[in-house]
Amino acid sequence: ACLAGRVGAWTAFADQAATPTLVGTSLRSELVLPPINPTVDYCMLAATSFRKAVMVCGLSAASPTQSGCTIACGSSWNSALREALAIVDTGCLPLENAANEIWGPAASSGISSTAAFTITEWELLQAKCLGSPCGEAWCSLSAVNAHSLYPPYTGDEGCPNFMATDGVYTWPFLTWNSVMYYQDNSLGCTGGLSVIADNEFKTWACVHAPQCAALIADDLACFKYNEVRGEFNFWGWNARLKVAPALFQLPASFCNDQGVSVLLDARRPEGEGVPLAGMSYTFFRYSDGVLRQFRSGTAEELADGGCGPVRLAPDTQFWLEVTPGSDHYPWKGWWTSVNEDIMRGSPQEIALAIYPKIAVPGFFKCDWLGITLQWCITDPLDLDLFMFVPLEEGGDFRLEQPNAIYWATMDPDSTAPDLYTGPYEQNGGEENGGATIVLERDDLGETEGGGRTFGPESFIIKGTPMVGRYAVFATIWISDPLSPLVFSGGCATAALYSGNLNGGQVVQRQVGAKGRNGHWWHVLNIVVSYDGPDEGVPRPVKYSFEMVDKIITGPIVQENGFFADPPFADPGVPEPEILLLRREVDEYDRLTQENQWMTEQHCKSYTKVGLELFDSVSSLPLVSGTFSPNGGQDAPVAVSSAVLRYAVPEGFSGGYGVLEGQHAWQVASPGFAPYELTFKVELGTDHMFFATYLVPADGHTRVVLRWRDTPADLDLHVVPVGVHNPEDGSEAQWVWQDPHTEEEWLPEVYEGDDAELRPYVWWGVAGQECGCVDHDDDPQTECRPLCTLSATGPDYESRPTLTLDRDDQIHGRVSSTGRVYNAPEVATLKNLWPGTYRVYISAYQPEGEDPGPEFESEVNVDIWLGDGLTVSSLGAVTHRAGSGGKWLYAGYFSVTDDVVHCTNPNQKPQITGGMCYSWYAARRVVTAPLSNVYSPVRMRMAHALYHRYELADYSVSFHRAQYVVYSGGVCSCVGSVSCSCTGSTIISTGVIGADLPEGDPNHIARVWTGALPLYLTNGQYQIKVGLPGFYDRLVTVTVADGAADVPAVMVPFVAQGELRIVLTWGGRPWDMDLWVARAGVPKPSWLESVPENTVYWGVTEVDTVNEDGVNEMAGIRLNRDEVNGNGPETVTFGAEVPSLRYRVAVNVYADQPTLPDFPPQCVEGEDAGCHFRGGELVQFFTSAGLLTESSFAPNVGTWWVVGTIEKDIAGGFSFDFNPVVEGERNGGGSVADGLANCLDIFEEC
């Protein structure tokens, strides 16, 4: 029961951390320690102790005999034998096996590995020690001053002997970990032995067990640390040794001498105190200038139902926090212990004014304010609480007796005083919409039996006070003329409470030493004022307070309640006003039976908001700035109005008061881009603080990474991909350049990574801490960042540069001023060349952590796009709190030289350099992106109607075509003019870019090739391409360790009633043809004439008519014939096409690249490449979009009958992809059974 905290039954070497590690002693860091268990595992203790001896003495299977015996070896043997003796007659295979590893199997060593460890086997183990050079001196447990290991046992069950025991053998359990626990809880201390130190003992430690009856006189058990054994040995009691200072002399109690609680309900005029059941407490005191926890516990842990003594240092000011039961608010404030001579052995009462949680009934069911006063034994007998009120609306308090509410009041018809019974009512009192102020408790400082009391006195303000200022004072009632007119004890304490706050207590002050300078203490003022314009009844009212905390001169309050000279001096000058709460009245649109509007009053608390501004690049504080509340609609307010002050332990004061709810502030500072700070104030929030890092308005593009408290460290990475020099098209070479010497180095990469990995900018790119330096000693020039990645070539100022301006790894850390700054990480991108620049965020994984941290709190990546002169915000990429993941792909910047069309909101043309910067968000969790290998994917664009050389004539350009790359899921374009994907992940988006010019190595004469390649890692992707006036195009690409080309055919919209058929295929065969024939056309004679009523490459449109004068192929035209792979071949049905049935087919014509001439027709059976490859696609488009499509699966044959199209009378089209092929086959042209031939597209009717 007396073991404090984590102290457990372990010898020192069994601590988790082997500290200290002493070379040449028995305590070694390489020793494999057993796991810590809640109870002593004597077998593991013995086995570990034996292995320690084996290691220290140099024993092994190869060398089972010692060559000598050092002190460390001898003491290790002694410890091992001591631990082994404790496990006799129990099973312990780990020890037995360890012995057999040195001296062989049981047959030779005599130590069994199957049965219990016997006394005979222990004697065999001891014989090994006795037979070594250590001999009797170390191997007999009766030697080596064994008695010094054990403290005297007092026989008192309430006191520990600091040993672990099984009833026969004992071990000292004090360890370095437990010593640190005692010290952290002010229950122990350590020191050096100085002149009495020797080779074995140099350090002592004394600890106190507060629950032990034998130690309540402030005694401590003292130990010396045995550096040879690696354990603490008991030395003696501090009462005799006197090596440690006394820790505690003064008993204090939460009860009086009658055993009654002195936690008094501030609103009950008399009666017993608040029950102590469920009460907890914590005392703090200053140590080395830092407020540290001194004592904590619960009522249940104290004797006598919570009335037992709490031992405290005398004459000490403590910060005390007491949490009573659920019906009362916590008490927090300064509390002072007195000298033990004053108490003469009696406990000092910890008498506190505890305010109850209440709900105020009445017309306005809103808030209340409470004020309390308490004092201590060294103060005068009776202190009194006063409130001075204004006499008129909007007035100030008057320090005159008629304006005072206190323990006595004057009857206007008599000169004799009456005891104050209250209440004091304004505007008809609380029940009539006014206010009621009541002195609810007055304490005379003593009981009827002559015992002392120390308050409390208390006021409550209920309802709506009259607008004005109210002053709260405390003074001294003098019943003994010989008593001094001062707050002699300095521990009088006043507190303000509000029912609107979760914790109740608003502020607390102790009069302190200044109380000895007078007898009137001006504590604070309460200010009530209207909030908002003079419109509507009732108007919103706000409450605030002004802390004064000054001693002033004033009258003596006589026994009859009258004020006697001298008059009051001027009141104290208050500190700045602090908003407390706002009372609002909501009016509903329904009437009561009395024909009155329904109204309901509610109160909102003000939260103290602090704001500090910093330069996000240099991290320097900004001395000037403003914020405009209400989304920037309110007038700007100086940042100096939002200074949040911090004091230990009272907490925060000052700041700018805001009500609960959602807020948006426009923050500005000269020379910086404006920033919108958004935040939400939850009900009951006491304070909020925002360190806002503004982006310089210098025209540079930046990425700002913001997150909240966890994890402590996130890292920003910018990875350039596919960047090339616009002058010669060469790939950019990235280096780190010394900002002083401009010497270039290869950038650092993660340890163990492939040296050929793509370079990127991050906190480790320069192998040093990020920041910037003055490279030329000229304060007028811009400092140069240290964490920089730049492309070789131009001079330093004009080269493409990526910098990490600031790195932050201490999120969530509370500063010495009580604030959590949570600074961002910032990257700047300058003078960029064409290419992409990917932005990744990682949850930093410290060495040795597995799996390490993930994203926990909300992550925001702000994008600031500059043009070299101005900068604007593109908003934030947000990763919601709790979404997890270790890597976030935020998005990427795309840089092109197409400034003419750089007009979208996510784009900015640069003032100089001729580049267009574009930002595309990704917002997805990825895995290990830095090890990705990217391959260029080029979009080869084709028009369904025109060849590339015709595009200019028709003013067609693909440079503005937008692409979206998807991975996974299902994508489809059928049934719409646009394509959609479900279950897919967006990999990237962007534009195709201008057509590559002649001379570029990737230029192809017959195909528009986008100048901006996509860079993708290995895998299969679906790419959607969109352009105004065209149907969306969906293409599939597989990237496998190399560059890839993606042909994309753009099909222009058709008018209502029209149909467009488009054939596309792969790179082989070279020439395929799209055929459309009128169903029922007679079989052609190929030697005599071309087929009738058929559109194909030989007949692009039919102008003949039938016997009825009808052109059955009217309006059907072959728009494009492609002879060099991929397609497209396109046939368009105009609206005038007759309502007939048509058959669609595809033919493999040739497989030889013979541009610019037409290739010769292939011959089946002779030309090996003359067949389908599979995947050939025919699509049918109407004004409604892609109506349907059909693909060819086999990879053989030269003819594919796609199906039939039938136009109905209403102008609609129907399709049949499984037509019955009629008529005979041409045996000479037939191929394998089941495949079509050229005549299968015709049929007899």
Side-chain angles (χ1 to χ4, degrees):
C2 287
L3 306 186
R6 294 176 295 152
V7 177
W10 285 100
T11 53
F13 64 81
D15 256 340
Q16 281 276 31
T19 304
T21 296
L22 301 168
V23 178
T25 73
S26 59
L27 193 62
R28 306 288 280 272
S29 60
E30 61 266 31
L31 180 66
V32 179
L33 302 177
I36 289 182
N37 294 317
T39 59
V40 178
D41 186 338
Y42 298 108
C43 173
M44 289 302 298
L45 196 64
T48 303
S49 187
F50 175 74
R51 290 188 180 278
K52 178 180 70 173
V54 168
M55 180 180 64
V56 172
C57 296
L59 294 170
S60 66
S63 179
T65 304
Q66 288 177 221
S67 59
C69 185
T70 62
I71 293 177
C73 174
S75 63
S76 296
W77 259 119
N78 187 266
S79 296
L81 291 173
R82 183 183 66 190
E83 267 74 82
L85 189 58
I87 62 166
V88 167
D89 295 330
T90 65
C92 188
L93 286 176
L95 174 61
E96 295 165 344
N97 291 336
N100 291 333
E101 289 174 8
I102 306 299
W103 296 296
S108 58
S109 68
I111 299 177
S112 169
S113 296
T114 57
F117 183 74
T118 65
I119 188 63
T120 301
E121 290 174 317
W122 180 84
E123 290 170 348
L124 288 172
L125 196 62
Q126 185 187 39
K128 296 292 186 183
C129 179
L130 291 169
S132 74
C134 292
E136 180 75 19
W138 292 102
C139 302
S140 172
L141 292 186
S142 62
V144 204
N145 298 318
H147 67 279
S148 68
L149 299 175
Y150 313 113
Y153 184 66
T154 64
D156 187 339
E157 292 182 357
C159 185
N161 59 3
F162 297 94
M163 307 299 291
T165 180
D166 62 356
V168 178
Y169 302 101
T170 54
W171 303 267
F173 68 66
L174 192 67
T175 72
W176 280 111
N177 276 348
S178 61
V179 167
M180 286 187 284
Y181 172 85
Y182 279 113
Q183 282 188 296
D184 290 345
N185 287 275
S186 301
L187 297 173
C189 51
T190 61
L193 291 172
S194 187
V195 295
I196 62 172
D198 54 29
N199 290 333
E200 194 171 6
F201 299 101
K202 293 183 174 62
T203 308
W204 60 264
C206 294
V207 298
H208 176 79
Q211 297 92 337
C212 303
L215 299 183
I216 61 173
D218 196 27
D219 209 351
L220 299 95
C222 296
F223 296 78
K224 292 190 293 184
Y225 180 68
N226 189 322
E227 299 197 4
V228 174
R229 285 185 176 276
E231 64 188 22
F232 283 96
N233 299 158
F234 181 72
W235 186 14
W237 302 105
N238 188 53
R240 178 180 59 83
L241 297 172
K242 300 189 184 307
V243 293
L247 296 180
F248 331 104
Q249 294 85 24
L250 179 70
S253 176
F254 291 100
C255 300
N256 59 22
D257 56 5
Q258 303 298 312
V260 177
S261 168
V262 289
L263 301 184
L264 300 178
D265 189 312
R267 297 195 66 215
R268 295 178 62 183
E270 57 187 13
E272 296 183 352
V274 175
L276 297 180
M279 181 271 292
S280 62
Y281 64 91
T282 304
F283 286 86
F284 299 84
R285 74 170 179 179
Y286 278 100
S287 175
D288 298 326
V290 178
L291 194 70
R292 303 180 188 277
Q293 182 175 314
F294 177 79
R295 201 52 109 243
S296 65
T298 64
E300 286 71 17
E301 293 172 347
L302 298 173
D304 302 325
C307 291
V310 179
R311 299 226 159 247
L312 302 172
D315 293 318
T316 302
Q317 190 179 45
F318 293 94
W319 179 262
L320 174 59
E321 297 182 358
V322 173
T323 303
S326 59
D327 295 333
H328 293 79
Y329 290 112
W331 191 96
K332 297 181 180 181
W334 291 108
W335 185 87
T336 305
S337 63
V338 300
N339 190 283
E340 62 269 24
D341 294 338
I342 295 176
M343 300 309 303
R344 298 178 181 178
S346 298
Q348 180 180 352
E349 293 180 14
I350 310 173
L352 305 176
I354 306 297
Y355 215 93
K357 298 177 181 178
I358 57 174
V360 179
F363 183 79
F364 289 111
K365 296 178 180 178
C366 191
D367 201 17
W368 51 264
L369 297 178
I371 301 123
T372 64
L373 175 68
Q374 65 184 53
W375 54 98
C376 69
I377 194 171
T378 55
D379 277 317
L381 180 68
D382 185 9
L383 303 187
D384 289 315
L385 196 56
F386 281 66
M387 181 180 295
F388 293 90
V389 300
L391 288 183
E392 65 279 338
E393 179 88 3
D396 205 352
F397 61 86
R398 298 182 182 180
L399 296 182
E400 300 171 354
Q401 184 177 322
N403 297 75
I405 306 173
Y406 64 114
W407 60 266
T409 187
M410 298 305 298
D411 184 340
D413 298 325
S414 171
T415 58
D418 295 326
L419 287 180
Y420 176 80
T421 56
Y424 174 81
E425 295 183 339
Q426 289 180 334
N427 298 330
E430 176 202 11
E431 293 185 355
N432 296 301
T436 300
I437 304 175
V438 184
L439 179 68
E440 293 193 304
R441 180 159 183 156
D442 176 43
D443 189 82
L444 302 179
E446 60 182 348
T447 65
E448 293 182 358
R452 285 292 307 271
T453 58
F454 312 104
E457 300 213 350
S458 69
F459 276 114
I460 190 169
I461 303 175
K462 298 183 291 184
T464 306
M466 183 171 63
V467 169
R469 294 171 78 231
Y470 301 72
V472 176
F473 278 75
T475 190
I476 301 164
W477 160 249
I478 302 300
S479 59
D480 182 359
L482 300 179
S483 297
L485 272 173
V486 294
F487 296 87
S488 53
C491 55
T493 302
L496 174 64
Y497 288 83
S498 167
N500 245 49
L501 298 183
N502 290 337
Q505 191 180 97
V506 177
V507 67
Q508 183 261 27
R509 282 293 167 92
Q510 191 177 59
V511 68
K514 66 179 178 295
R516 300 184 178 93
N517 299 325
H519 70 286
W520 280 97
W521 177 27
H522 188 176
V523 183
L524 55 83
N525 300 327
I526 295 173
V527 182
V528 181
S529 58
Y530 289 122
D531 191 17
D534 186 10
E535 298 175 0
V537 178
R539 294 169 62 187
V541 174
K542 65 179 179 181
Y543 300 74
S544 59
F545 71 93
E546 301 168 331
M547 183 55 64
V548 182
D549 193 20
K550 299 290 192 306
I551 298 295
I552 67 172
T553 59
I556 296 174
V557 181
Q558 303 178 88
E559 188 172 357
N560 59 9
F562 286 102
F563 287 9
D565 287 337
F568 278 107
D570 290 334
V573 178
E575 297 174 9
E577 180 180 349
I578 298 176
L579 292 170
L580 183 56
L581 58 94
R582 183 179 193 263
R583 178 184 57 74
E584 300 174 346
V585 176
D586 291 333
E587 211 169 69
Y588 295 91
D589 59 355
R590 63 189 182 91
L591 300 177
T592 65
Q593 292 181 350
E594 292 79 17
N595 204 37
Q596 297 294 319
W597 290 107
M598 287 289 291
T599 62
E600 179 176 326
Q601 177 172 287
H602 60 272
C603 290
K604 293 182 177 180
S605 298
Y606 282 94
T607 294
K608 302 181 284 288
V609 175
L611 180 65
E612 292 183 27
L613 305 184
F614 298 87
D615 183 331
S616 64
V617 175
S618 68
S619 301
L620 295 175
L622 303 178
V623 295
S624 63
T626 61
F627 62 94
S628 302
N630 193 21
Q633 298 182 31
D634 292 357
V637 180
V639 173
S640 57
S641 299
V643 175
L644 198 62
R645 295 178 292 277
Y646 180 71
V648 177
E650 291 91 339
F652 289 94
S653 62
Y656 186 82
V658 301
L659 298 168
E660 60 255 30
Q662 193 71 38
H663 294 270
W665 289 2
Q666 288 292 327
V667 182
S669 182
F672 291 84
Y675 177 77
E676 184 175 69
L677 173 65
T678 60
F679 57 96
K680 184 178 182 180
V681 179
E682 300 289 352
L683 178 65
T685 304
D686 176 71
H687 70 277
M688 300 180 77
F689 171 74
F690 300 99
T692 302
Y693 289 74
L694 299 182
V695 172
D698 54 9
H700 294 318
T701 295
R702 286 188 171 89
V703 180
V704 179
L705 167 62
R706 297 181 292 109
W707 73 101
R708 296 183 182 175
D709 290 351
T710 55
D713 189 9
L714 295 183
D715 289 318
L716 173 62
H717 301 72
V718 180
V719 183
V721 178
V723 177
H724 63 273
N725 189 328
E727 298 294 331
D728 57 14
S730 62
E731 184 178 354
Q733 300 299 313
W734 296 96
V735 296
W736 173 72
Q737 189 175 49
D738 188 301
H740 293 287
T741 66
E742 299 189 5
E743 186 177 2
E744 295 178 351
W745 304 83
L746 292 176
E748 297 279 344
V749 296
Y750 278 125
E751 183 180 353
D753 276 353
D754 189 332
E756 296 182 358
L757 285 181
R758 185 178 309 280
Y760 48 88
V761 68
W762 63 304
W763 64 265
V765 68
Q768 58 187 314
E769 186 175 347
C770 296
C772 71
V773 296
D774 185 358
H775 65 286
D776 57 4
D777 297 325
D778 183 357
Q780 301 302 318
T781 59
E782 189 179 45
C783 68
R784 288 182 174 178
L786 291 171
C787 293
T788 302
L789 195 69
S790 59
T792 59
D795 62 89
Y796 186 93
E797 299 299 335
S798 61
R799 62 172 47 187
T801 304
L802 314 175
T803 64
L804 187 70
D805 303 307
R806 71 176 328 279
D807 172 49
D808 196 90
Q809 53 189 329
I810 56 172
H811 271 230
R813 182 179 298 180
V814 181
S815 69
S816 59
T817 59
R819 297 164 174 82
V820 178
Y821 280 85
N822 288 352
E825 296 206 357
V826 181
T828 301
L829 298 82
K830 302 179 184 178
N831 308 319
L832 301 183
W833 282 348
T836 60
Y837 301 82
R838 297 179 177 242
V839 178
Y840 295 102
I841 313 301
S842 72
Y844 178 66
Q845 180 172 329
E847 186 176 355
E849 288 196 20
D850 189 19
E854 293 190 347
F855 299 120
E856 298 173 27
S857 58
E858 184 175 275
V859 177
N860 290 282
V861 183
D862 297 333
I863 304 301
W864 295 87
L865 200 59
D867 61 7
L869 183 64
T870 63
V871 64
S872 57
S873 171
L874 297 186
V877 175
T878 299
H879 187 60
R880 292 184 178 179
S883 299
K886 291 189 67 65
W887 283 94
L888 173 67
Y889 179 26
Y892 66 93
F893 294 96
S894 174
V895 177
T896 72
D897 56 5
D898 183 13
V899 296
V900 175
H901 301 91
C902 194
T903 57
N904 288 343
N906 66 320
Q907 298 179 310
K908 269 199 180 240
Q910 301 302 292
I911 300 298
T912 59
M915 296 296 161
C916 172
Y917 290 9
S918 306
W919 166 255
Y920 300 96
R923 280 188 197 88
R924 62 189 181 91
V925 172
V926 294
T927 303
L930 300 183
S931 60
N932 287 341
V933 176
Y934 295 91
S935 299
V937 175
R938 294 194 177 273
M939 301 300 298
R940 307 290 191 181
M941 306 297 294
H943 196 289
L945 305 182
Y946 312 127
H947 292 277
R948 179 181 177 280
Y949 61 83
E950 299 176 297
L951 295 180
D953 297 337
Y954 291 96
S955 301
V956 175
S957 174
F958 295 122
H959 70 275
R960 299 300 295 164
Q962 300 275 343
Y963 67 82
V964 182
V965 182
Y966 297 92
S967 176
V970 177
C971 297
S972 175
C973 306
V974 177
S976 174
V977 297
S978 59
C979 304
S980 60
C981 297
T982 57
S984 304
T985 300
I986 296 178
I987 301 301
S988 64
T989 61
V991 295
I992 302 300
D995 190 8
L996 284 178
E998 294 185 23
D1000 188 283
N1002 292 290
H1003 172 79
I1004 297 178
R1006 60 186 178 83
V1007 178
W1008 176 297
T1009 301
L1012 303 178
L1014 294 65
Y1015 284 87
L1016 301 175
T1017 57
N1018 287 351
Q1020 188 176 72
Y1021 304 91
Q1022 296 186 87
I1023 302 177
K1024 181 179 73 172
V1025 184
L1027 186 66
F1030 293 80
Y1031 302 99
D1032 277 1
R1033 192 69 182 179
L1034 191 67
V1035 292
T1036 300
V1037 61
T1038 299
V1039 179
D1041 299 326
D1045 288 346
V1046 180
V1049 176
M1050 302 304 295
V1051 181
F1053 292 153
V1054 296
Q1056 182 75 29
E1058 294 184 343
L1059 172 72
R1060 183 158 288 148
I1061 308 172
V1062 180
L1063 164 67
T1064 55
W1065 67 96
R1068 299 281 300 277
W1070 286 90
D1071 186 7
M1072 301 185 74
D1073 293 319
L1074 181 63
W1075 289 57
V1076 175
R1078 164 77 174 96
V1081 171
K1083 297 176 183 178
S1085 171
W1086 296 105
L1087 298 178
E1088 298 177 358
S1089 64
V1090 298
E1092 296 180 11
N1093 287 341
T1094 303
V1095 169
Y1096 68 111
W1097 63 267
V1099 180
T1100 59
E1101 60 182 324
V1102 175
D1103 56 7
T1104 60
V1105 298
N1106 61 17
E1107 58 188 15
D1108 297 324
V1110 176
N1111 182 355
E1112 296 179 346
M1113 301 294 288
I1116 303 176
R1117 176 179 177 80
L1118 177 71
N1119 305 104
R1120 174 169 174 172
D1121 177 35
E1122 178 58 54
V1123 298
N1124 288 283
N1126 295 309
E1129 296 232 348
T1130 305
V1131 172
T1132 300
F1133 282 45
E1136 67 272 25
V1137 171
S1139 298
L1140 300 172
R1141 192 158 65 107
Y1142 301 89
R1143 179 158 287 169
V1144 179
V1146 176
N1147 171 233
V1148 177
Y1149 184 86
D1151 191 38
Q1152 293 185 34
T1154 57
L1155 272 176
D1157 300 324
F1158 287 99
Q1161 185 175 7
C1162 61
V1163 179
E1164 289 189 64
E1166 296 181 8
D1167 296 335
C1170 192
H1171 60 83
F1172 290 106
R1173 299 304 198 273
E1176 291 79 10
L1177 181 67
V1178 176
Q1179 296 175 302
F1180 301 83
F1181 297 88
T1182 68
S1183 59
L1186 176 61
L1187 195 60
T1188 188
E1189 61 186 17
S1190 180
S1191 61
F1192 192 68
N1195 60 353
V1196 294
T1198 59
W1199 280 92
W1200 166 32
V1201 178
V1202 180
T1204 58
I1205 305 172
E1206 188 161 2
K1207 182 177 180 181
D1208 56 35
I1209 298 177
F1213 294 92
S1214 60
F1215 303 89
D1216 182 3
F1217 293 139
N1218 296 289
V1220 176
V1221 178
E1222 302 176 6
E1224 299 180 6
R1225 290 183 178 274
N1226 183 333
S1230 66
V1231 289
D1233 287 343
L1235 296 178
N1237 62 35
C1238 61
L1239 296 183
D1240 286 332
I1241 67 170
F1242 306 103
E1243 63 182 4
E1244 301 279 355
C1245 291

